[in-house]
Amino acid sequence: MDNSRVEILLIEDNPYEAELALRSLKKNNIANTIVHIDDGAEALDYIFCRGKYAGNTTIHSPKLILLDLNLPKVDGLEILKQIKSDDKTCMIPVVVLTSSKEERDIVDSYRLGVNSYIVKPVNFESFSKAMSDLKMYWLVLNQWPPL
Amino acid sequence: MKNIFESKEVTAAIPGENSATIHEGRDCAIKNLLTAEATLVNDSELLLSEKGKKNEALLLEKEIADLSFAVSHDLKAPLRIISGYAGIIQADYSGALDTEGNRLLALIVENASVMSTMLDAIVGLSRVTQQEYVMQMADMNSLFNKISEEHKNSTTTETTMRISNLASVICDVNAIRTVAGNLLSNAIKFSANATQPTIEIGSETGNEEVVYFVRDNGTGFDMKYSSKLFRLFQRLHSKSEYPGIGAGLAVAAKIIHKHGGKIWAESVENKGTTFYFSLPINNQ
């Protein structure tokens, strides 16, 4: 995979949730390369070029990581912790996308350095708008440091 | 999708512990709940001992916390998916359906949204149970005045509000603000059709407690259904008449009971309703 082209990494284990998110993200005309990984351990391998991604010589640096919290094997908070505690990846914006309004999750996420925390709306129109808003914000409006 | 009956070691997650434990505990929350129930029934010795009862109560409280966590995390996902796919059909394929088809589709979306609100209410109610209260002297005048201002700004109904001088009391201000807000929004909603909607708020100080009331001149209800009033998702009016899911009073009652107070209502159909709640004066 050509590292330079990946703009969004979506880490989400539920295939239907992922389909809805991908559909909304691809909906407007900005062409993006989106990689979807459905497993926490694999997501870490992908970001840090380990396991089956060991062949990659550079760290994958998507412009934005969309992270579900409830994931098999390695959960979202652990992924967040590892991304934010490594000098090579700590500047990648990470947005938590979750069902949970639990205060514990919100506090834990910010404590670990999350850049934004979004509770996915149940209504699809609102969800779709949230997705395109956050894509617009993080990929167009927001200035991010060169990686 | 994750199976909430997944068999893992039975873990009793304690709220406030790290999230990994919470996730584990939540995963088998339903299983634990069933186990707890079975224990209660089978182990009569445990039932007899006070300590056992206390432990069971604590365990059950934890289970409810876990269950509410499962509700907020896991049940929302399939609901969002139902709503999502129906939404895609609405957005991209509505032309392929006739009017009736589109109407039915809209009903799916609408009801998914109702269920989402209900799930939020369950979580909200269990949050009331878990929350630790900060007891302090509350200026009930400023509390009710602020809330009535907020409500005035968010409604089109011209409602006359009369707030008498209210006694201060020791309580958790945030929680009582929720109670006041719920009672006031009910009063506004159910008096909106009156010729001149009027709401009166007052208080009366007794020896051991202060009783507050919120009185409207609205549609009222038949007192023979009053026992349903404070139960979750119970409603005394049809949804088409007065929208809502029936959670506000359940939350209010839980908060007042947690303060050691009482909540009740008196109503005459087509004349109006008065809600009362009492708060103990020596509440630490």
Side-chain angles (χ1 to χ4, degrees), chain A residues 6-77:
Chain A
V6 174
E7 296 200 277
I8 300 174
L9 170 62
L10 173 67
I11 308 171
E12 163 67 77
D13 70 313
N14 184 318
Y16 310 109
E17 293 252 41
E19 184 182 346
L20 293 174
L22 291 172
R23 207 181 160 97
S24 302
L25 288 168
K26 285 174 182 163
K27 195 98 194 180
N28 55 38
N29 45 18
I30 311 164
N32 297 104
T33 315
I34 304 171
V35 171
H36 167 222
I37 293 176
D38 63 0
D39 169 300
E42 194 189 331
L44 284 174
D45 283 351
Y46 175 83
I47 295 164
F48 294 103
C49 303
R50 302 183 305 221
K52 71 176 189 185
Y53 301 98
N56 297 49
T57 47
T58 52
I59 292 233
H60 279 130
S61 299
K63 288 184 183 169
L64 176 65
I65 294 175
L66 301 177
L67 179 65
D68 181 23
L69 285 187
N70 195 6
L71 293 164
K73 292 183 214 160
V74 183
D75 80 5
L77 288 175

Side-chain angles (χ1 to χ4, degrees), chain B residues 5-239:
Chain B
F5 284 98
E6 210 169 315
S7 71
K8 276 188 188 168
E9 202 186 331
V10 172
T11 320
I14 299 156
E17 274 197 0
N18 70 55
S19 65
T21 321
I22 303 279
H23 279 270
E24 291 242 322
R26 183 266 323 262
D27 278 342
C28 47
I30 294 175
K31 197 179 146 197
N32 280 11
L33 199 60
L34 295 175
T35 316
E37 226 169 291
T39 316
L40 273 172
V41 175
N42 294 332
D43 201 337
S44 57
E45 251 179 32
L46 198 64
L47 262 177
L48 288 172
S49 98
E50 271 306 308
K51 201 179 160 206
K53 263 188 201 172
K54 220 175 190 177
N55 286 342
E56 286 301 329
L58 270 175
L59 184 65
L60 216 58
E61 213 169 276
K62 277 178 216 146
E63 300 312 343
I64 289 166
D66 288 346
L67 208 52
S68 128
F69 199 72
V71 166
S72 78
H73 274 73
D74 297 333
L75 300 188
K76 270 287 177 76
L79 192 60
R80 190 169 45 247
I81 291 159
I82 293 169
S83 177
Y85 284 103
I88 290 174
I89 299 174
Q90 275 187 321
D92 297 350
Y93 301 96
S94 72
L97 293 170
D98 63 7
T99 315
E100 180 63 359
N102 276 302
R103 186 184 72 88
L104 300 176
L105 199 55
L107 288 179
I108 296 176
V109 173
E110 188 189 316
N111 278 283
S113 144
V114 170
M115 184 164 164
S116 165
T117 315
M118 291 170 95
L119 291 179
D120 286 342
I122 294 176
V123 176
L125 201 60
S126 100
R127 216 164 267 166
V128 172
T129 314
Q130 293 165 51
Q131 213 156 46
E132 287 203 17
Y133 280 174
V134 182
M135 303 299 271
Q136 53 182 330
M137 189 54 85
D139 179 349
M140 297 294 271
N141 283 313
S142 97
L143 188 145
F144 267 103
N145 274 305
K146 262 187 209 155
I147 290 172
S148 73
E149 277 307 312
E150 281 166 24
H151 279 83
K152 261 185 203 161
N153 296 335
S154 64
T155 176
T156 50
T157 319
E158 279 294 322
T159 308
T160 308
M161 300 260 195
R162 287 196 206 112
I163 305 180
S164 333
N165 192 23
L166 303 172
S168 298
V169 74
I170 291 171
C171 64
D172 180 283
V173 181
N174 286 327
I176 296 302
R177 190 175 295 129
T178 303
V179 175
N182 291 355
L183 293 182
L184 212 58
S185 68
N186 269 359
I188 291 172
K189 179 160 78 176
F190 291 108
S191 65
N193 293 334
T195 329
Q196 174 50 60
T198 307
I199 294 167
E200 283 172 74
I201 297 161
S203 73
E204 205 167 298
T205 307
N207 288 334
E208 288 172 356
E209 57 182 21
V210 185
V211 176
Y212 298 89
F213 68 82
V214 176
R215 177 174 296 140
D216 68 58
N217 62 343
T219 186
F221 61 85
D222 186 337
M223 283 296 281
K224 75 176 176 204
Y225 302 119
S226 62
S227 65
K228 291 175 94 183
L229 217 50
F230 300 101
R231 298 225 302 262
L232 186 62
F233 302 142
Q234 296 284 338
R235 310 181 71 259
L236 300 184
H237 298 92
S238 72
K239 273 193 182 137

Side-chain angles (χ1 to χ4, degrees), chain A residues 22 44 47 60 73 75 88 91 93 99-100 103 118 124 130:
Chain A
L22 291 172
L44 284 174
I47 295 164
H60 279 130
K73 292 183 214 160
D75 80 5
K88 296 185 285 294
M91 288 200 278
S99 302
S100 160
E103 215 178 286
I118 310 280
F124 185 64

